mmCIF file of all heavy atoms in Angstrom:
data_model
loop_
_atom_site.group_PDB
_atom_site.id
_atom_site.type_symbol
_atom_site.label_atom_id
_atom_site.label_comp_id
_atom_site.label_asym_id
_atom_site.label_seq_id
_atom_site.Cartn_x
_atom_site.Cartn_y
_atom_site.Cartn_z
ATOM 1 N N HIS A 92 4.610 -5.376 8.660
ATOM 2 C CA HIS A 92 3.491 -4.468 8.908
ATOM 3 C C HIS A 92 3.382 -3.565 7.691
ATOM 4 O O HIS A 92 4.365 -2.936 7.304
ATOM 5 C CB HIS A 92 3.766 -3.654 10.169
ATOM 6 C CG HIS A 92 2.589 -2.881 10.647
ATOM 7 N ND1 HIS A 92 1.506 -3.475 11.246
ATOM 8 C CD2 HIS A 92 2.328 -1.562 10.606
ATOM 9 C CE1 HIS A 92 0.632 -2.549 11.560
ATOM 10 N NE2 HIS A 92 1.098 -1.377 11.185
ATOM 11 N N TYR A 93 2.217 -3.526 7.087
ATOM 12 C CA TYR A 93 2.008 -2.758 5.857
ATOM 13 C C TYR A 93 1.101 -1.566 6.144
ATOM 14 O O TYR A 93 0.123 -1.688 6.888
ATOM 15 C CB TYR A 93 1.337 -3.631 4.796
ATOM 16 C CG TYR A 93 2.222 -4.696 4.189
ATOM 17 C CD1 TYR A 93 2.617 -5.801 4.931
ATOM 18 C CD2 TYR A 93 2.660 -4.588 2.868
ATOM 19 C CE1 TYR A 93 3.427 -6.779 4.374
ATOM 20 C CE2 TYR A 93 3.461 -5.555 2.298
ATOM 21 C CZ TYR A 93 3.846 -6.657 3.056
ATOM 22 O OH TYR A 93 4.653 -7.621 2.497
ATOM 23 N N TRP A 94 1.418 -0.464 5.517
ATOM 24 C CA TRP A 94 0.544 0.705 5.664
ATOM 25 C C TRP A 94 0.520 1.511 4.374
ATOM 26 O O TRP A 94 1.426 1.416 3.546
ATOM 27 C CB TRP A 94 0.963 1.566 6.847
ATOM 28 C CG TRP A 94 2.262 2.281 6.705
ATOM 29 C CD1 TRP A 94 2.482 3.527 6.187
ATOM 30 C CD2 TRP A 94 3.556 1.802 7.090
ATOM 31 N NE1 TRP A 94 3.813 3.848 6.237
ATOM 32 C CE2 TRP A 94 4.497 2.813 6.785
ATOM 33 C CE3 TRP A 94 4.008 0.610 7.670
ATOM 34 C CZ2 TRP A 94 5.859 2.660 7.048
ATOM 35 C CZ3 TRP A 94 5.363 0.464 7.918
ATOM 36 C CH2 TRP A 94 6.265 1.483 7.616
ATOM 37 N N CYS A 95 -0.517 2.314 4.246
ATOM 38 C CA CYS A 95 -0.648 3.188 3.089
ATOM 39 C C CYS A 95 -0.621 4.638 3.552
ATOM 40 O O CYS A 95 -0.846 4.949 4.722
ATOM 41 C CB CYS A 95 -1.930 2.901 2.314
ATOM 42 S SG CYS A 95 -3.445 3.260 3.233
ATOM 43 N N GLY A 96 -0.330 5.499 2.626
ATOM 44 C CA GLY A 96 -0.293 6.914 2.939
ATOM 45 C C GLY A 96 -0.029 7.722 1.700
ATOM 46 O O GLY A 96 -0.001 7.196 0.589
ATOM 47 N N SER A 97 0.142 9.010 1.907
ATOM 48 C CA SER A 97 0.501 9.886 0.817
ATOM 49 C C SER A 97 1.632 10.787 1.288
ATOM 50 O O SER A 97 2.026 10.748 2.456
ATOM 51 C CB SER A 97 -0.707 10.712 0.378
ATOM 52 O OG SER A 97 -0.454 11.338 -0.861
ATOM 53 N N SER A 98 2.155 11.551 0.380
ATOM 54 C CA SER A 98 3.301 12.367 0.743
ATOM 55 C C SER A 98 3.315 13.656 -0.049
ATOM 56 O O SER A 98 2.568 13.822 -1.019
ATOM 57 C CB SER A 98 4.589 11.585 0.486
ATOM 58 O OG SER A 98 4.824 11.484 -0.903
ATOM 59 N N ALA A 99 4.199 14.526 0.371
ATOM 60 C CA ALA A 99 4.336 15.813 -0.290
ATOM 61 C C ALA A 99 4.872 15.676 -1.709
ATOM 62 O O ALA A 99 4.864 16.642 -2.464
ATOM 63 C CB ALA A 99 5.249 16.718 0.534
ATOM 64 N N GLU A 100 5.302 14.488 -2.052
ATOM 65 C CA GLU A 100 5.732 14.251 -3.437
ATOM 66 C C GLU A 100 4.602 14.575 -4.415
ATOM 67 O O GLU A 100 4.841 15.005 -5.546
ATOM 68 C CB GLU A 100 6.160 12.793 -3.603
ATOM 69 C CG GLU A 100 6.519 12.416 -5.033
ATOM 70 C CD GLU A 100 6.864 10.949 -5.175
ATOM 71 O OE1 GLU A 100 6.925 10.255 -4.153
ATOM 72 O OE2 GLU A 100 7.064 10.491 -6.320
ATOM 73 N N TYR A 101 3.369 14.392 -3.975
ATOM 74 C CA TYR A 101 2.218 14.638 -4.833
ATOM 75 C C TYR A 101 1.683 16.063 -4.669
ATOM 76 O O TYR A 101 0.717 16.442 -5.312
ATOM 77 C CB TYR A 101 1.108 13.634 -4.527
ATOM 78 C CG TYR A 101 1.557 12.194 -4.621
ATOM 79 C CD1 TYR A 101 1.723 11.422 -3.480
ATOM 80 C CD2 TYR A 101 1.821 11.611 -5.855
ATOM 81 C CE1 TYR A 101 2.144 10.098 -3.563
ATOM 82 C CE2 TYR A 101 2.243 10.293 -5.952
ATOM 83 C CZ TYR A 101 2.404 9.545 -4.795
ATOM 84 O OH TYR A 101 2.825 8.247 -4.886
ATOM 85 N N GLY A 102 2.324 16.818 -3.820
ATOM 86 C CA GLY A 102 1.860 18.164 -3.512
ATOM 87 C C GLY A 102 1.902 18.358 -2.010
ATOM 88 O O GLY A 102 1.652 17.403 -1.255
ATOM 89 N N ASN A 103 2.226 19.564 -1.578
ATOM 90 C CA ASN A 103 2.361 19.792 -0.133
ATOM 91 C C ASN A 103 1.109 19.409 0.645
ATOM 92 O O ASN A 103 1.186 18.977 1.792
ATOM 93 C CB ASN A 103 2.708 21.257 0.115
ATOM 94 C CG ASN A 103 4.126 21.593 -0.315
ATOM 95 O OD1 ASN A 103 4.992 20.713 -0.382
ATOM 96 N ND2 ASN A 103 4.371 22.845 -0.631
#
Side-chain angles (χ1 to χ4, degrees):
H92 190 73
Y93 288 71
W94 69 90
C95 65
S97 193
S98 72
E100 175 183 354
Y101 305 108
N103 289 336

